[in-house]
Amino acid sequence: MAVSETPQGPLSGVRVLDLSRILAGPTCTQLLGDLGANVIKIENPASGGDDTRQWGPPYVMDAEGNQTDLSAYFMAANRNKLSVALDIATPEGQAEIRRLAGHADILIENFKPGGLARYGLDYASLSKTFPGLVYCSISGFGQTGPNASKPGYDLLAQGFGGIMSLTGEPEGAPMKVGVGIADVMCGMYATVGILAALRHKDRTGEGQHVELALVDAQIAWMINEGVNYLNSGKVPERRGNAHPNIMPYDVYQTSDGHLVLAVGNDSQFRRYCGFLDLAHLAEDPHFATNQARLQNRAALDAVLRPAMAARSTAEVIAGLEAQKVTVGPVQTLDQVFASEQVAARQMQIDMQSEAGPVHLIGNPLKLSRTPATYRKAPPRFGADTQRVLSAEDPFTD
């Protein structure tokens, strides 16, 4: 979807008061904004705003070559928002939050559990005055449980929630995922929960508390490995890029690089072996079925890896694609964003910010009638403070 100056989308008219910072909450509110919601982001003037404004380089440089507060990290999750500098630790700031909440459909925050109660801005306090408010709280471990008071960071969630124990080479150290995936996925779950609560509000007029924990969300997307453990009692092991339930499904070295191979069933395995001139493997009872291949993983790999390494990446990809076997390249980001596929899917977008042009990742949702729109570039800190705080209706564009 092209950059648009006209508010539209399935959530057009929905009003979001965003008291979150860093990644999980901002991921959620950016997605709501892309879908048409009006989002006001509250930033702490004492700290210079969202922590991620300082998480660079890179930064956008202004026309004079000066560094701005638009770090790439901040811009990744903060388009389609207004920025308001407001100190909620002051009585004036608290009163303004209550005023804004009175105009909002949704409030989202990621303070430590109980952190907003001292200001009278927690769900219990605000819901008395605004019973229709959908109030979303995100924290590291949730509002309950023995760890509720502990801080929440993506790395901590990945460690506590188990994904690090599964990631990395078999003999290597536990490894986090390359991006803040626990934060991002928590933001995605938050979006789903908020939309479900809005649906309930549409029917009944009732708001509610939507509450998430980074660790809960990370455990939820352990999917097959988590359920494998629950039903077997066997703690999964690190396998590098290999799959616990499918073989061969891995990254393989070629004569000039690496590629991804995903053989999803036995008929694909037969065609794969035929391409490698190893057709006899598909007839061998040690390898003929996926279950047998898993039991004899090491022995099969000892044959497949040299055969793959003797061929070029291009040769293997072309040959296996012709055989309808799933295969693909391992691309670096310069290759990713230069690809025709990214252009066709509009997964890179260019916007004009107050500081100059910025380049962002597009929204993956493709809605045929109400597509995502990109109406506002990531804002400078406090850029909309005066207009929002002086407006009778602060959410009016």
Side-chain angles (χ1 to χ4, degrees):
M1 180 67 188
V3 174
S4 171
E5 297 297 331
T6 304
Q8 55 183 310
L11 299 184
S12 180
V14 172
R15 296 161 170 224
V16 181
L17 180 57
D18 184 3
L19 274 62
S20 71
R21 63 195 187 280
I22 303 182
L23 190 54
T27 293
C28 169
T29 52
Q30 176 170 273
L31 180 52
L32 296 173
D34 285 357
L35 295 176
N38 292 343
V39 183
I40 294 177
K41 180 181 180 73
I42 303 300
E43 300 193 67
N44 184 358
S47 63
D50 192 309
D51 305 51
T52 63
R53 288 188 182 274
Q54 309 304 320
W55 290 7
Y59 296 92
V60 174
M61 310 302 285
D62 65 19
E64 287 73 41
N66 300 311
Q67 177 181 303
T68 72
D69 57 14
L70 293 177
S71 71
Y73 200 117
F74 174 82
M75 294 193 298
N78 285 288
R79 66 171 168 253
N80 283 333
K81 303 177 186 182
L82 304 177
S83 172
V84 172
L86 191 65
D87 186 355
I88 67 171
T90 66
E92 296 79 11
Q94 294 156 24
E96 190 60 44
I97 293 296
R98 293 187 191 96
R99 183 181 81 91
L100 293 171
H103 290 274
D105 300 292
I106 300 159
L107 184 151
I108 183 168
E109 56 90 8
N110 65 345
F111 286 75
K112 289 182 181 180
L116 289 178
R118 56 181 169 167
Y119 304 134
L121 301 178
D122 57 318
Y123 174 70
S125 300
L126 289 181
S127 63
K128 293 176 183 177
T129 307
F130 310 114
L133 183 66
V134 173
Y135 189 112
C136 179
S137 297
I138 296 174
S139 59
F141 288 88
Q143 306 290 310
T144 57
N147 292 342
S149 63
K150 292 186 177 182
Y153 285 91
D154 176 89
L155 183 62
L156 188 66
Q158 289 197 39
F160 190 94
I163 192 64
M164 285 179 66
S165 73
L166 303 181
T167 306
E169 292 300 323
E171 303 303 321
M175 188 70 62
K176 76 176 185 68
V177 179
V179 296
I181 192 65
D183 270 328
V184 170
M185 286 305 300
C186 188
M188 296 297 178
Y189 280 111
T191 305
V192 174
I194 285 169
L195 294 179
L198 279 179
R199 173 63 173 155
H200 176 77
K201 177 181 177 178
D202 287 344
R203 289 194 316 235
T204 68
E206 296 175 337
Q208 60 181 295
H209 195 193
V210 179
E211 195 253 306
L212 301 96
L214 294 183
V215 169
D216 292 354
Q218 197 264 265
I219 292 171
W221 55 260
M222 293 291 286
I223 49 170
N224 58 302
E225 283 283 49
V227 178
N228 284 350
Y229 165 71
L230 290 175
N231 287 277
S232 71
K234 183 179 178 181
V235 176
E237 61 190 57
R238 287 192 296 282
R239 297 185 177 88
N241 292 303
H243 196 288
N245 301 108
I246 308 171
M247 172 69 187
Y249 189 107
D250 209 334
V251 172
Y252 285 85
Q253 186 170 355
T254 64
S255 63
D256 58 356
H258 293 84
L259 54 73
V260 172
L261 175 71
V263 175
N265 55 53
D266 296 339
S267 62
Q268 285 188 23
F269 182 67
R270 287 192 293 272
R271 297 195 299 275
Y272 168 61
C273 290
F275 166 77
L276 291 179
D277 297 324
L278 297 172
H280 64 281
L281 293 178
E283 306 302 325
D284 188 324
H286 293 91
F287 310 125
T289 66
N290 183 65
Q291 185 171 349
R293 293 192 291 277
L294 290 173
Q295 292 171 351
N296 298 283
R297 183 193 296 266
L300 180 57
D301 240 8
V303 179
L304 297 182
R305 290 196 179 277
M308 295 283 278
R311 294 165 169 81
S312 71
T313 301
E315 177 189 358
V316 176
I317 290 177
L320 291 183
E321 285 183 343
Q323 294 296 321
K324 293 183 169 49
V325 174
T326 306
V327 65
V330 178
Q331 298 195 123
T332 54
L333 292 193
D334 56 331
Q335 295 170 318
V336 171
F337 287 105
S339 70
E340 294 180 356
Q341 184 67 21
V342 162
R345 298 293 294 173
Q346 297 177 319
M347 287 307 298
Q348 176 183 330
I349 63 168
D350 303 312
M351 302 188 74
Q352 185 66 32
S353 76
E354 297 170 37
V358 296
H359 311 291
L360 307 173
I361 298 174
N363 193 308
L365 292 172
K366 312 300 181 188
L367 284 74
S368 63
R369 293 190 178 273
T370 54
T373 60
Y374 311 112
R375 305 176 307 281
K376 301 181 183 74
R380 299 294 301 274
F381 170 57
D384 307 288
T385 303
Q386 182 176 357
R387 185 178 71 77
V388 168
L389 299 187
S390 63
E392 182 177 348
D393 184 349
F395 287 92
T396 301
D397 285 327

